[in-house]
Amino acid sequence: YAAIAEHALGGKSLDRYVVTNNHDRQLFQRIREQAQCNSSECGIYQVSNSPRYNVPPPPSADVETVVTCLNIDNDLVFNALVDHLRIETRAVCHDKETSEGSLLVKDNRGRLSIRGGTIREVFFLPHGDRWTVQNGNLSLVSNGRKLKQSLGVDKTAAIAELKDDADQVKKELDEAKAKHVSLLNERKAAQKKWNNERHQLRKAEGKLDDIVNKIEQVRAEAEESANVTVDTTELEQDVSNAEQTVEALKEQLAERENELEALAPQVTEIKNRLTEVTARNEKGLADLAAA
């Protein structure tokens, strides 16, 4: 009777939270609002914290109620279902004929009633149809939906499979995090090398400017002393040395520029890989949360 008992409870009746006082209810409602969860998704049952209710048994031996179909250990949950769903008033039977034979009573005026005075609705297999008695008349309501069962279903294998999936996602996430850290370190090293090369380039450019200025100064002094017979051997040697230094620095600058150009694709590749791993991490976290 698990499937029909679950049907008798109504949709999402068991997907609710139970509170025992107004303070907890108001606190829960604030949390629900902050989480942007509506009342149908995060329902509340409020019930007083009292001993387990003593409810009457079914009026017939071949009739069950939702109470007798469910094994509820928690007294607070039991009392909440009695208060809000009246589970002791919902009977379940194997078929329509059995339910009517066991529960329907007709008085001497032909008016119908349900035996015992406690049952209000009777659900029966195979489709979950139900009947009630209103004003002495039988009222039948058909169920157009297929019965679904979650109560009493052994979900051990499904839980184990989900746990394995969660472990696998966690493993992949740990690997992705390790790769992420490695890429960060690699990027840091590449960036450090890039910055050092840029610093050396700027330093070489400054030194080159100083030497060029010195050459221009020497040339100007040489032009000013063109009409004076002096020994310019030393100056010429300085100019020659300076020109050689300039050529060497130009070669160094060219090498630095080539190294910077070679580093640029590497830095770009590392950034792209870092972006890819970051996206994979976010997806892994989402998969792990969902599992």
Side-chain angles (χ1 to χ4, degrees):
Y1 291 133
I4 194 171
E6 187 171 346
H7 169 62
L9 284 171
K12 297 186 177 181
S13 297
L14 300 179
D15 296 338
R16 292 176 178 262
Y17 297 86
V18 179
V19 297
T20 58
N21 54 67
N22 291 333
H23 174 270
D24 289 352
R25 175 177 53 79
Q26 292 168 359
L27 175 60
F28 181 86
Q29 288 172 331
R30 288 197 299 271
I31 295 173
R32 183 174 66 186
E33 183 178 353
Q34 293 171 1
Q36 297 182 346
C37 178
N38 59 49
S39 58
S40 63
E41 295 173 330
C42 303
I44 311 171
Y45 287 144
Q46 182 171 342
V47 60
S48 59
N49 195 359
S50 59
R52 190 185 190 93
Y53 294 154
N54 184 21
V55 298
S60 175
D62 52 359
V63 173
E64 301 283 348
T65 64
V66 175
V67 171
T68 60
C69 289
L70 301 182
N71 182 18
I72 305 173
D73 295 328
N74 189 291
D75 292 347
L76 192 63
V77 172
F78 180 87
N79 291 348
L81 294 179
V82 171
D83 279 347
H84 293 273
L85 298 178
R86 310 303 300 175
I87 56 176
E88 79 282 10
T89 70
R90 303 185 182 195
V92 294
C93 292
H94 186 269
D95 53 60
K96 180 175 179 291
E97 290 73 19
T98 301
S99 66
E100 291 180 352
S102 300
L103 294 174
L104 272 183
V105 178
K106 182 183 293 188
D107 62 17
N108 53 12
R109 294 182 298 172
R111 293 173 59 86
L112 298 176
S113 62
I114 300 178
R115 188 186 306 277
T118 301
I119 303 301
R120 295 291 179 267
E121 292 180 289
V122 181
F123 296 79
F124 56 90
L125 295 171
H127 304 299
D129 300 335
R130 62 187 173 90
W131 59 262
T132 61
V133 173
Q134 299 177 355
N135 299 322
N137 298 310
L138 183 66
S139 175
L140 181 64
V141 180
S142 298
N143 176 40
R145 296 182 179 181
K146 183 179 180 181
L147 293 179
K148 296 180 181 180
Q149 181 179 347
S150 59
L151 296 175
V153 176
D154 185 2
K155 297 185 178 180
T156 304
I159 292 172
E161 184 178 353
L162 286 175
K163 185 178 183 302
D164 290 341
D165 291 343
D167 291 341
Q168 180 62 31
V169 171
K170 186 178 183 301
K171 179 181 177 182
E172 293 176 359
L173 182 60
D174 291 340
E175 293 174 353
K177 285 181 177 178
K179 187 174 182 181
H180 185 268
V181 172
S182 177
L183 282 173
L184 284 175
N185 293 334
E186 189 176 345
R187 178 187 178 185
K188 184 178 180 180
Q191 189 68 48
K192 184 177 180 181
K193 186 175 181 181
W194 171 277
N195 293 337
N196 182 61
E197 293 295 338
R198 293 288 297 176
H199 175 71
Q200 294 297 327
L201 177 61
R202 288 194 296 269
K203 186 176 179 181
E205 288 174 342
K207 190 174 182 180
L208 178 61
D209 291 339
D210 292 341
I211 294 175
V212 169
N213 292 334
K214 185 176 181 181
I215 291 174
E216 294 298 329
Q217 182 182 356
V218 170
R219 283 178 176 171
E221 292 175 355
E223 290 176 357
E224 290 178 0
S225 60
N227 297 326
V228 180
T229 302
V230 294
D231 185 4
T232 61
T233 302
E234 185 177 350
L235 290 174
E236 291 175 355
Q237 184 62 41
D238 290 342
V239 171
S240 177
N241 292 339
E243 289 177 343
Q244 291 177 6
T245 303
V246 169
E247 292 301 323
L249 283 171
K250 286 182 178 179
E251 292 179 0
Q252 291 181 15
L253 285 173
E255 291 178 0
R256 296 297 182 193
E257 290 177 352
N258 291 335
E259 290 177 357
L260 286 174
E261 290 179 0
L263 281 173
Q266 181 181 356
V267 172
T268 300
E269 180 185 356
I270 291 174
K271 287 181 178 179
N272 292 337
R273 288 164 58 194
L274 185 58
T275 300
E276 178 184 350
V277 170
T278 300
R280 193 180 304 124
N281 283 352
E282 292 175 353
K283 182 178 184 300
L285 285 171
D287 292 343
L288 185 60

